[in-house]
Amino acid sequence: MNIVLLQWNIGGGLIRFVDADPSKDESYCHDGIEHICNKIKEFAPDIITFQESHADANHMQAEYIVKKLGYEYFVNYAYDLSHLQSGQKLCQSVISRFPILEPSFQFFYNPRVEAVRPNGDRWVSHDKGVTRCMITIAENTVIELKTCHSLPLRKFGLKDTDKSFLQVSESMQENLVLISPFALLAGDFNYDNKSLEAYLPRIFTDGVKEVPQIEPTTPGGRRYDHVVYKGIKLVSSHVDNDVLTDHFPVVANLVL
């Protein structure tokens, strides 16, 4: 059975104008939910994993996309206040053509490190975590799915040998181990490398593999978004850089 997975940090659904500088955070300030919906139509994914989708008391981006594009199932968890737009919460979302069972969310360890941004604002590390659910692909076939957003610790000047960095890595590994025979893990790991194995070695056991992330997933050339899989065959994967969000979507074609 063929399955198309779309992994995308949509940055609050905010986009830049075509001629705006993609390297500047302030370029991403325009409502781009329709742009995102149009790109999803192109990819035609069966399963979508979002980070930094937005929600407030009256509106949830994941629900809007589900209704507009005709998906049947979704889960959405808010994990912190948005740094991108006032009054919004940052969320992780899973959207699926197949039934979603047993959804849950778990926070990672947050060392609450601080930094001063170029504009002078004080920046404290946001809460981040992992969403887990089971997706029923067929009557006797269930995929364990996890999607996560990691803390951007290097933006706070931390090295991978620092205590806080190691504590976050340990917390992530405790929560990201894939247990089921068929499993997928996709997210924004804030780790710029073609492989996650040096960062999260304990999750690479029991036949777990990953998509070698050779292509950049951000306009700045960093490879933050990754896809990991188990018991499933990877046919192909590509990054679409023809989008106006501050992360590029990763599309993985899989066979179960």
Side-chain angles (χ1 to χ4, degrees):
M1 182 175 185
N2 295 315
I3 300 170
V4 178
L5 170 72
L6 170 63
Q7 153 57 30
W8 199 352
N9 179 330
I10 61 170
L14 300 172
I15 61 172
R16 61 178 175 85
F17 287 143
V18 174
D19 57 352
D21 186 344
S23 68
K24 294 183 177 180
D25 291 345
E26 56 267 29
S27 295
Y28 301 91
C29 58
H30 309 285
D31 182 1
I33 201 69
E34 299 304 327
H35 170 73
I36 290 167
C37 286
N38 288 335
K39 295 304 293 189
I40 294 172
K41 287 181 185 178
E42 290 181 23
F43 305 135
D46 300 298
I47 300 170
I48 303 169
T49 53
F50 283 151
Q51 301 77 45
E52 292 191 345
S53 60
H54 269 171
D56 60 24
N58 301 308
H59 181 74
M60 184 188 302
Q61 288 178 339
E63 185 175 28
Y64 177 83
I65 291 169
V66 164
K67 291 180 178 179
K68 184 174 181 66
L69 299 184
Y71 286 87
E72 289 192 60
Y73 308 97
F74 81 101
V75 295
N76 187 83
Y77 288 102
Y79 52 94
D80 209 333
L81 296 177
S82 178
H83 59 293
L84 302 168
Q85 195 171 31
S86 178
Q88 297 290 329
K89 292 182 179 180
L90 292 176
C91 303
Q92 287 176 7
S93 314
V94 176
I95 297 173
S96 173
R97 298 191 191 280
F98 310 108
I100 296 175
L101 305 173
E102 303 174 29
S104 63
F105 180 85
Q106 179 65 47
F107 284 106
F108 296 140
Y109 170 74
N110 184 355
R112 302 289 177 185
V113 289
E114 299 183 15
V116 177
R117 304 187 73 180
N119 64 1
D121 290 345
R122 176 173 162 267
W123 193 17
V124 180
S125 57
H126 284 78
D127 284 332
K128 301 289 177 69
V130 55
T131 297
R132 178 187 182 273
C133 61
M134 306 299 288
I135 297 183
T136 304
I137 303 298
E139 184 176 354
N140 296 313
T141 306
V142 178
I143 291 179
E144 175 187 17
L145 176 72
K146 293 186 177 184
T147 185
C148 70
H149 195 183
S150 178
L151 287 80
L153 296 179
R154 288 182 175 82
K155 290 186 178 180
F156 293 91
L158 293 179
K159 300 177 181 178
D160 56 11
T161 54
D162 291 336
K163 180 179 178 181
S164 293
F165 193 103
L166 294 172
Q167 287 175 311
V168 172
S169 176
E170 179 65 21
S171 173
M172 291 182 67
Q173 291 181 94
E174 287 177 358
N175 288 286
L176 296 181
V177 172
L178 300 175
I179 301 170
S180 301
F182 306 112
L184 288 166
L185 165 63
D188 173 6
F189 291 82
N190 273 302
Y191 182 71
D192 180 22
N193 201 297
K194 71 176 183 180
S195 172
L196 291 171
E197 192 161 5
Y199 179 40
L200 303 169
R202 282 171 41 203
I203 72 171
F204 289 93
T205 60
D206 196 24
V208 171
K209 300 178 181 178
E210 65 181 323
V211 176
Q213 196 52 63
I214 298 170
E215 300 174 81
T217 67
T218 71
R222 300 191 181 277
R223 298 160 292 181
Y224 284 156
D225 300 84
H226 296 262
V227 175
V228 177
Y229 56 99
K230 175 184 175 184
I232 300 170
K233 180 181 179 182
L234 175 69
V235 177
S236 64
S237 177
H238 73 277
V239 175
D240 188 328
N241 59 14
D242 186 27
V243 296
L244 300 174
T245 49
D246 68 349
H247 278 243
F248 302 146
V250 179
V251 182
N253 296 288
L254 307 151
V255 173
L256 185 62

